[in-house]
Amino acid sequence: MGKRVYESLPDMAKARNRVDKPNLIKDEAKVSLRLASFAAGRHYLIKTFGCQANVRDEEIMAGYLEKAGFSKAESEESTDLVIINTCAVRENAEDKVYGEIGKFKANRRRDPQFILCVCGCMMQEEGVAKKISDSYPYVNLIFGTHNTHRLLDMLDEHLSRHKDIVNVLSHPGDIIEGMPSARLDNSSAYVNITYGCDKFCTYCIVPYTRGRERSRQKEDILSECRELVEQGYKQITLLGQNVNSYGKDFHDGTSFATILEEVAKLGIPRLRFMTSHPWDFSDEMLEVIAKYPNIMKCIHLPVQSGSTEVLKKMGRRYTREEYLDLVARIKKKIPGVFLTTDIIVGFPNETLEQFEETLSICEEVRYSSAFTFIYSPRKGTPAAKMKDDVPDEEKKARFMRLLKVVEETTNEASASLLGKTIPVLVDGPSKKDPNILSGYSEGSKLVNFPGPAYLKGEIVELKIIENHCHYLVGELLEDPILIKANGVKKALLEEPDVKEYLRLNKQIEENEEIKALQEKIGETQKKLVASLGDAKVKAEYESLREKLDSHPLIQNRESLREGVENLLKAVSGGLS
């Protein structure tokens, strides 16, 4: 390709801007004939780093690519288009990205038409897009988090102009509805309810990479969730950088508790949410979680530090005492709740005493698991400008001390499940052993157990027989075929055509006119046998049969028969 075109580069000053109301845009992406022709017979691969929001972005980009006509590739070698979807939260995630970009130089050598794209949060940082552009000339398309919905347009522009393109927008962000999606899982789904963040924690790059905090309309969220329920999904996870700040930008009293309850009422078997900010955790929200059994009693509640002084420097908006008071209220309202957290070790100038306050809060709360990190400065954030007098070796030593405490509380939470029977949503076979299945408990504990692959997507009852701290071993209490058959039955009964077929069947059974016709047909049939096929009796019998078959209820039911039978044929392969 020819020279690179710089349409837009990230600007941290613009990224800090906030507006009163985001634009609501309905997706109208069209596939050009040029792009459709190029995509035909070609394959794509998306490599995602980072959080669940990035995974959801991958599903949306895959939706656009499949809309254009690309198919998902089986391997890195067989792909014609690669998107590297990046994360900017930690430095080690960025280091991995540069290695990934280098891997695909060989693809370009093999195929001059190979397309390599790099996108996501990392691109929103000043200097990164330019660095990648200069260091990796075989990268064809660089874009950020705010123009994912323009993926097809950017690809078409690349093909039409024979130019490589850099287009990274920095602005508060819009809400795009109606984007296509290729879900990565057919039983568990992510649903965005908010985008961006307004908290501006001093260590965090997200408000700059994802834009202002903005909520989707309730009707759009419920429509997406309702469709997932109708498709047979077993679990929905509501996503937001600070998910429980949902609705604050509406200024009309709408809250996270509102949308959480409305989604729970849709009947999804399992409902989760992440990530919740302690500052926005309301009693109303707690009441809703406690009220609905399908809302998982596992709450991710990032503490980051156990020291009030450090929390203030982090811009976290709560004190140690306020956090512990919230934990006490949660545990009182939801006995047996599983609490998980995020913790940063070695924030600039953290003293030994402040670190030990973090150890003590872990010991007091007894987290069932924790994501622990050594502080990683992000260029452009206030914390990155702070002078730090704590040596790296000391930070590493503190980190190891923290891991020891976290291991202890994690093991304690896992051990509490030994001997108990718990429901587990099956993810699928283990990569190491196809005869071992993996899934997650209500408390987000990983459970491995022997079983057939066709249980993927089912919620099964397992007796926990072994504890290995970070995972459990369970055993099935029921024949897997019966579990699958029961799951298929439930799913079928929720299908609109099946429900209507059964409704009509019941009406037919209760209809007096049909009952009378069936009686007459039975009597006439006996006469026909006794008369040895008398023509007059035969004509009477055929007339009655025709009258019965032409009854509106019968005709309506029979019009559904083929569709219902096709459903049965489709699920009959479920055990294969």
Side-chain angles (χ1 to χ4, degrees):
M1 289 289 171
K3 293 181 180 180
R4 194 177 301 274
V5 177
Y6 290 89
E7 297 186 350
S8 179
L9 283 169
D11 183 331
M12 292 290 272
K14 289 181 181 178
R16 291 187 186 95
N17 290 339
R18 293 297 182 259
V19 295
D20 290 334
K21 191 176 181 180
N23 295 314
L24 178 61
I25 300 170
K26 295 292 183 182
D27 178 66
E28 296 180 351
K30 292 183 174 64
V31 181
S32 70
L33 289 174
R34 176 174 39 246
L35 180 57
S37 176
F38 179 83
R42 284 187 165 90
H43 297 82
Y44 75 88
L45 184 69
I46 303 175
K47 305 205 75 175
T48 292
F49 298 85
C51 67
Q52 290 83 359
N54 283 18
V55 173
R56 185 68 188 118
D57 286 346
E58 175 182 341
E59 293 179 332
I60 289 166
M61 289 188 287
Y64 279 117
L65 293 175
E66 291 183 11
K67 180 178 180 178
F70 290 96
S71 301
K72 192 169 184 177
E74 295 294 326
S75 67
E76 293 180 0
E77 293 73 28
S78 65
T79 187
D80 305 287
L81 180 151
V82 169
I83 297 178
I84 299 174
N85 185 20
T86 66
C87 172
V89 173
R90 315 226 75 78
E91 189 174 2
N92 61 351
E94 293 194 5
D95 292 340
K96 290 178 183 177
V97 165
Y98 293 117
E100 285 295 324
I101 296 173
K103 284 168 59 176
F104 291 101
K105 187 175 184 179
N107 294 64
R108 166 55 56 80
R109 286 175 179 161
R110 286 196 302 268
D111 178 10
Q113 291 188 303
F114 173 78
I115 296 177
L116 179 58
C117 312
V118 186
C119 70
C121 292
M122 191 172 153
M123 300 307 101
Q124 298 289 154
E125 297 179 89
E126 285 183 348
V128 173
K130 188 69 167 62
K131 177 183 176 180
I132 290 174
S133 177
D134 293 342
S135 304
Y136 304 93
Y138 51 90
V139 173
N140 306 110
L141 192 61
I142 298 172
F143 58 99
T145 60
H146 297 304
N147 44 352
T148 299
H149 65 291
R150 292 199 59 248
L151 174 59
L152 299 187
D153 292 338
M154 291 185 288
L155 286 171
D156 184 58
E157 184 181 356
H158 165 70
L159 293 172
S160 65
R161 298 177 65 183
H162 301 285
K163 303 286 185 183
D164 297 328
I165 297 165
V166 178
N167 190 347
V168 184
L169 303 176
S170 292
H171 63 80
D174 300 318
I175 292 178
I176 318 295
E177 293 293 350
M179 293 184 287
S181 175
R183 298 275 180 185
L184 293 171
D185 195 288
N186 59 9
S187 61
S188 187
Y190 294 123
V191 174
N192 291 313
I193 67 168
T194 68
Y195 300 99
C197 180
D198 283 350
K199 292 293 187 290
F200 284 95
C201 297
T202 59
Y203 55 83
C204 186
I205 194 71
V206 170
Y208 309 95
T209 63
R210 289 280 178 179
R212 65 153 289 167
E213 202 166 75
R214 52 209 189 275
S215 305
R216 292 177 66 195
Q217 293 294 322
K218 183 174 74 172
E219 294 75 18
D220 292 320
I221 296 168
L222 292 178
S223 176
E224 183 176 346
C225 290
R226 192 176 292 111
E227 185 176 335
L228 290 166
V229 173
E230 289 171 353
Q231 290 172 355
Y233 277 77
K234 301 290 175 60
Q235 179 171 282
I236 289 173
T237 302
L238 303 178
L239 293 182
Q241 196 61 39
N242 293 310
V243 71
N244 48 340
S245 66
Y246 174 81
K248 285 190 169 186
D249 49 330
F250 293 153
H251 307 293
D252 63 0
T254 301
S255 67
F256 178 61
T258 309
I259 195 68
L260 186 63
E261 182 166 31
E262 289 297 316
V263 176
K265 286 179 179 177
L266 295 177
I268 187 74
R270 287 188 166 201
L271 179 58
R272 297 186 185 275
F273 58 89
M274 64 186 318
T275 296
S276 51
H277 194 293
W279 194 70
D280 289 318
F281 208 107
S282 67
D283 287 335
E284 180 190 13
M285 175 181 163
L286 189 52
E287 291 286 341
V288 171
I289 297 169
K291 179 179 178 182
Y292 289 89
N294 59 338
I295 300 177
M296 298 295 93
K297 306 307 182 277
C298 180
I299 299 170
H300 190 64
L301 197 66
V303 64
Q304 306 300 3
S305 172
S307 163
T308 295
E309 291 83 359
V310 174
L311 288 170
K312 185 175 181 181
K313 290 178 183 177
M314 288 179 167
R316 290 294 288 171
R317 306 188 186 198
Y318 54 84
T319 65
R320 172 190 175 95
E321 291 72 26
E322 288 168 337
Y323 183 91
L324 286 172
D325 177 69
L326 173 58
V327 167
R329 284 187 283 124
I330 291 172
K331 289 186 175 182
K332 183 178 179 181
K333 190 68 180 179
I334 311 172
V337 67
F338 287 84
L339 292 176
T340 62
T341 198
D342 296 335
I343 301 170
I344 296 173
V345 173
F347 190 76
N349 306 305
E350 175 191 66
T351 67
L352 179 59
E353 291 75 20
Q354 289 167 342
F355 165 70
E356 287 178 342
E357 286 186 275
T358 297
L359 291 184
S360 68
I361 206 169
C362 290
E363 290 168 343
E364 184 169 345
V365 176
R366 316 303 293 178
Y367 295 109
S368 66
S369 69
F371 297 95
T372 54
F373 310 94
I374 294 175
Y375 169 72
S376 175
R378 301 287 79 200
K379 185 180 177 182
T381 62
K385 299 173 185 175
M386 297 178 184
K387 289 185 178 180
D388 190 3
D389 61 6
V390 184
D392 287 344
E393 286 305 312
E394 173 63 17
K395 291 182 180 183
K396 290 175 184 175
R398 292 177 188 179
F399 182 72
M400 296 310 295
R401 287 181 65 190
L402 175 65
L403 280 185
K404 188 175 179 181
V405 172
V406 168
E407 288 273 324
E408 178 189 321
T409 62
T410 298
N411 188 59
E412 181 183 283
S414 297
S416 71
L417 296 172
L418 266 176
K420 293 183 178 177
T421 298
I422 61 172
V424 170
L425 175 58
V426 183
D427 273 356
S430 163
K431 291 179 181 178
K432 295 180 180 178
D433 185 346
N435 297 311
I436 299 296
L437 301 182
S438 297
Y440 284 88
S441 69
E442 178 173 340
S444 288
K445 288 289 182 181
L446 177 65
V447 186
N448 296 328
F449 66 100
Y454 59 71
L455 287 181
K456 175 177 165 47
E458 297 293 336
I459 296 175
V460 301
E461 293 290 328
L462 296 177
K463 183 178 180 180
I464 303 303
I465 57 174
E466 292 180 27
N467 167 34
H468 296 267
C469 188
H470 295 290
Y471 74 93
L472 302 164
V473 175
E475 61 181 8
L476 285 166
L477 296 180
E478 190 178 0
D479 185 321
I481 289 179
L482 297 180
I483 295 171
K484 186 66 180 180
N486 191 44
V488 168
K489 178 183 175 183
K490 287 179 181 177
L492 275 175
L493 292 177
E494 290 303 313
E495 286 289 335
D497 280 0
V498 176
K499 289 170 88 170
E500 179 64 7
Y501 187 91
L502 294 175
R503 187 188 71 81
L504 288 168
N505 211 51
K506 187 176 180 182
Q507 284 189 339
I508 289 167
E509 288 174 358
E510 296 173 351
N511 186 276
E512 295 299 327
E513 183 183 357
I514 291 174
K515 284 181 183 178
L517 274 171
Q518 288 171 334
E519 274 187 32
K520 285 184 180 179
I521 288 170
E523 292 170 1
T524 308
Q525 193 173 27
K526 289 177 183 177
K527 287 181 185 178
L528 187 59
V529 173
S531 67
L532 300 177
D534 180 82
K536 187 177 179 181
V537 179
K538 186 178 180 181
E540 181 185 359
Y541 172 79
E542 290 175 350
S543 174
L544 288 169
R545 285 294 326 175
E546 185 179 346
K547 192 173 182 181
L548 178 66
D549 292 342
S550 63
H551 192 283
L553 286 176
I554 301 286
Q555 286 198 326
N556 288 341
R557 183 187 67 179
E558 292 308 300
S559 69
L560 295 169
R561 181 175 294 278
E562 184 179 355
V564 172
E565 286 179 344
N566 286 337
L567 277 172
L568 290 171
K569 287 176 184 176
V571 301
S572 68
L575 300 182
S576 59

